[in-house]
Structure formats: structure tokens, C-alpha cells
């Protein structure tokens, strides 16, 4: 969701698809399951869209490794670009927390540490920015394997605590630490440093299919404990990792990079994906509180298009200097 100076339309296209999936994840539970075959279909579709955050993280790693810059100037430039918009859009949550009974210290910690709503992603990206010199030194296939092992251990622990033991934790606590997502940033950096990404894709297609089947089976298993299982789990990371390698291949990139309205639309969505990420939960909350929910697909379309239209208006009305601090540039 972060922005780079050197933009490649295809990766904006991937961002556009990923932000659609992000919105779909957050409208996923708006329509209760009815206890029929649609439940299984919905579970399976729900696994497909869960790759959104891994794709965004991998794209960030892909472009970060290509930047030849000094470390401290890089941090001074990149961190404010994601952190200042986060502080602005988190402010209503901070005020609501104080009005809802949080003491000033707790609310301030949540506010400054990206602890409100779904904003853990900003804390996550900042961690990867800070760790980038170390990660670049291990940017080999062996480093990717090591990162996968670390992530497998971390996500297995998180899944056990959340899905099997049924422990309730804030999103920033279990999804905010970088080890849970390290494999995706690592594979993004590795692929971004390669001179060519023209590798065989057939094995990765099979890996995606197998990963999705495992996601479905693991979700069905985990739902029997505390009616959880749609979020973080090992099978989801297997599926997401394979999908990233598949989508980042030059063969797939060349095949999907078509100059047509669909590609241009999702490329545009990708170019404003960070703004959509920061703002769309306000519209989701408005729909829920006013009972404007009409089913998963309709809700997703309404939230996505409404948010995109709002950002379009803000970009047209406000000076560019202001929109930059809002995460729209």
C-alpha cells in the first residue's frame, strides 16, 4: 500500500486487486451464514481473498530492495509518508476511545502504535523499513527459506492461541509483529533483486491450488473450536506465498498487463490503495450501524466504490500539499 517513485502499472494492478480483497475481507461477516451449501462456497471464497495483506507486503519488499539510498535519509523520507496519514485518519478513533472509557495513556499508546482499527499494517511496514539493512544482507534463497521457517513458527503459534485456545487479542498484538509476515517481505525482496523473473510457473500454480484446498480444510477444522479460522493460519500463508511467486513472474505479468478497461480500473485503484485502506472502515462502520447491508458482494462494491469516489473528490478539492499528508499521493 506504500508508494514508490518508480511505478510499474502491473504492480498497481496487483495493488488494485489486493485492495478489493481487503474491502471484501472487512465486509465478509456482514451477511450471516445461512447453514446451506453457500456456507462452504463462502468459506472457500473467503480463503482466496485472504492473500491481500501478503501481496501488499511482498510488493513493498519488491520495490524496497531496488532503492539504492542511504539508510537514515530513506527512513526520514518513507516513514512520514505512511505514519503521518495514519495519525490523521486514526484521530477519530482516538477521540471515540476517550469517549468510550479509555484512559488517556491507553488511548495514546494505541494511537501512536497504530493500534486502532486495521492500522497494524502501517506499524508492520515501518518495522520492515527499519529492518531493511539486515534483511538485504540475507536476500538470498537461503534467507527466504529462513524467513519462511520464522513465519511458519510465528503464525502457527498465533493460530493456535486464537483459533484453538480461543484467546482474544488486539489486532496490533497478533498481526502487528513482523515475524508473522516476514516470509512475504523476504520473497518480495528476493524477486525484486533478480535480473529476470522468467521462471517456470506450473509448479506454483499447483502450489496455489493445493494451498487453497488446505486453507478450506483447515478452516473447516478450526471452525469446530471457537467458530474461528478465517484469519491467520499456516495453510493460508502457504497459499499466499505460492500465489505471490506466481503473480510476480514475468510470464504472468506479461499475460495480465493488457490495455483494457479492467486493467486500467484496477491500476487506478492500486494507485489510491493506501488511501482506500486508511478510510474504508469508516464507510463499513456507517453501513453496519445504519443496517445498510445487502449481501457480501453488494456491500463490497458499495464500500469500495464509495471510498474511491470520496478520495477522488478530496484529491480534486484539496491542495496537493494536503492530500499528500492524507495518504492520497
Amino acid at each position: 500500500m506504500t508508494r514508490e517513485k518508480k511505478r510499474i502499472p502491473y504492480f498497481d494492478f496487483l495493488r488494485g486487486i489486493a485492495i478489493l480483497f481487503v474491502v471484501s475481507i472487512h465486509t465478509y461477516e456482514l451477511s450471516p451464514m445461512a447453514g446451506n451449501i453457500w456456507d462452504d462456497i463462502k468459506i472457500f471464497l473467503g480463503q482466496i481473498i485472504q492473500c491481500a495483506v501478503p501481496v501488499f507486503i511482498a510488493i513493498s519488499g519488491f520495490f524496497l530492495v531496488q532503492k539504492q539510498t542511504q539508510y537514515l535519509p530513506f527512513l526520514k523520507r518513507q516513514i512520514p509518508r505512511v505514519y503521518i496519514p495514519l495519525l490523521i485518519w486514526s484521530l477519530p478513533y482516538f477521540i471515540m476511545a476517550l469517549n468510550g472509557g479509555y484512559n488517556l495513556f491507553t488511548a495514546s499508546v494505541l494511537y501512536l502504535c497504530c493500534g486502532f482499527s486495521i492500522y497494524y499494517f502501517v506499524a508492520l511496514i515501518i518495522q520492515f523499513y527499519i529492518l531493511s539493512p539486515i534483511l538485504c544482507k540475507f536476500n538470498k534463497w537461503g534467507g527466504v527459506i529462513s524467513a519462511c521457517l520464522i513465519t511458519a513458527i510465528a503464525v502457527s503459534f498465533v493460530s493456535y492461541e486464537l483459533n484453538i485456545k480461543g484467546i482474544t487479542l488486539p489486532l496490533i498484538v497478533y498481526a502487528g509483529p513482523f515475524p508473522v509476515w516476514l516470509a512475504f517481505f523476504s520473497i518480495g525482496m528476493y524477486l525484486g533483486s533478480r535480473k529476470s523473473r522468467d521462471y517456470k510457473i506450473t509448479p506454483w500454480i499447483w502450489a496455489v491450488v493445493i494451498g487453497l484446498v488446505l486453507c478450506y480444510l483447515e478452516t473447516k477444522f478450526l471452525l469446530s473450536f471457537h467458530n474461528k479460522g478465517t484469519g491467520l493460519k499456516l495453510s493460508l500463508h502457504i497459499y499466499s506465498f505460492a500465489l505471490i511467486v506466481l503473480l510476480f513472474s514475468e510470464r504472468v505479468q506479461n499475460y495480465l498487463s493488457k490495455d483494457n478497461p479492467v486493467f486500467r480500473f484496477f491500476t487506478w485503484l492500486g494507485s489510491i490503495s493506501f488511501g482506500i485502506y486508511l478510510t474504508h472502515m469508516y464507510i463499513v462502520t456507517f453501513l453496519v450501524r445504519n443496517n445498510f447491508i445487502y449481501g457480501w458482494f453488494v456491500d463490497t462494491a458499495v464500500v469500495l466504490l464509495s471510498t474511491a469516489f470520496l478520495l477522488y473528490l478530496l484529491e480534486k478539492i484539496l491542495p496537493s500539499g494536503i492530500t499528500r499528508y492524507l495518504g492520497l499521493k
Side-chain angles (χ1 to χ4, degrees):
M1 298 176 202
T2 54
R3 306 298 184 85
E4 293 82 24
K5 292 182 178 180
K6 180 184 177 182
R7 302 196 76 91
I8 300 176
Y10 175 69
F11 285 93
D12 270 333
F13 171 77
L14 292 183
R15 288 186 182 95
I17 298 295
I19 199 62
L20 167 65
F21 286 179
V22 167
V23 174
S24 297
I25 291 169
H26 297 139
T27 58
Y28 184 77
E29 297 296 342
L30 296 187
S31 301
M33 293 188 177
N36 51 39
I37 194 173
W38 169 240
D39 289 5
D40 284 334
I41 296 175
K42 190 175 181 182
I43 288 173
F44 186 79
L45 293 176
Q47 304 316 299
I48 295 176
I49 64 176
Q50 293 290 336
C51 66
V53 171
V55 168
F56 275 123
I57 292 172
I59 292 175
S60 295
F62 182 90
F63 285 101
L64 183 144
V65 77
Q66 298 178 9
K67 295 180 178 180
Q68 302 296 325
T69 183
Q70 293 182 334
Y71 179 58
L72 290 180
F74 167 77
L75 293 182
K76 290 179 180 179
R77 182 177 69 253
Q78 289 298 116
I79 290 179
R81 294 176 68 182
V82 295
Y83 191 60
I84 292 177
L86 172 279
L87 293 178
I88 293 174
W89 291 109
S90 290
L91 190 57
Y93 287 110
F94 174 72
I95 295 172
M96 287 187 289
L98 292 176
N99 292 334
Y102 280 77
N103 61 57
L104 179 60
F105 176 78
T106 302
S108 298
V109 170
L110 289 172
Y111 177 62
L112 297 174
C113 296
C114 314
F116 288 121
S117 189
I118 58 168
Y119 295 144
Y120 74 93
F121 182 84
V122 174
L124 188 62
I125 289 300
I126 291 174
Q127 290 173 68
F128 283 128
Y129 285 162
I130 294 172
L131 293 171
S132 59
I134 298 175
L135 298 177
C136 285
K137 291 183 179 180
F138 295 94
N139 189 29
K140 304 292 182 182
W141 189 238
V144 175
I145 294 175
S146 299
C148 289
L149 292 175
I150 293 172
T151 294
I153 294 171
V155 76
S156 296
F157 174 77
V158 169
S159 180
Y160 176 76
E161 294 293 319
L162 296 179
N163 298 321
I164 295 181
K165 293 182 67 175
I167 295 176
T168 301
L169 294 172
L171 190 59
I172 186 65
V173 172
Y174 70 84
F178 76 90
V180 178
W181 310 96
L182 180 59
F184 307 119
F185 196 81
S186 180
I187 189 61
M189 292 181 66
Y190 176 75
L191 294 175
S193 63
R194 288 171 62 103
K195 293 181 179 180
S196 172
R197 289 176 281 116
D198 187 20
Y199 43 80
K200 292 182 179 180
I201 63 174
T202 303
W204 297 104
I205 294 175
W206 281 109
V208 168
V209 173
I210 293 171
L212 269 178
V213 172
L214 292 175
C215 280
Y216 170 78
L217 295 175
E218 187 176 7
T219 300
K220 293 283 285 185
F221 170 74
L222 293 175
L223 286 173
S224 64
F225 288 90
H226 301 278
N227 200 33
K228 297 181 179 181
T230 56
L232 289 174
K233 51 187 178 290
L234 187 58
S235 59
L236 174 61
H237 276 41
I238 294 172
Y239 154 65
S240 298
F241 187 91
L243 182 66
I244 287 165
V245 179
L246 177 64
L247 292 176
F248 282 34
S249 71
E250 291 177 351
R251 299 183 187 186
V252 174
Q253 178 176 341
N254 293 334
Y255 178 78
L256 294 179
S257 298
K258 308 294 185 182
D259 187 16
N260 56 51
V262 174
F263 183 82
R264 290 194 295 270
F265 173 73
F266 281 104
T267 300
W268 173 68
L269 280 183
S271 69
I272 60 171
S273 59
F274 187 50
I276 294 176
Y277 155 74
L278 290 169
T279 58
H280 76 277
M281 285 304 295
Y282 287 109
I283 295 179
V284 172
T285 302
F286 174 81
L287 294 179
V288 173
R289 288 182 176 176
N290 293 277
N291 202 31
F292 295 143
I293 51 177
Y294 302 99
W296 186 22
F297 299 136
V298 174
D299 297 335
T300 298
V302 169
V303 172
L304 181 65
L305 296 177
S306 299
T307 309
F309 181 68
L310 172 64
L311 298 181
Y312 174 79
L313 289 180
L314 290 176
E315 196 165 0
K316 290 295 182 180
I317 296 173
L318 299 176
S320 59
I322 295 178
T323 57
R324 179 165 57 89
Y325 291 112
L326 294 176
L328 309 184
K329 287 288 187 181

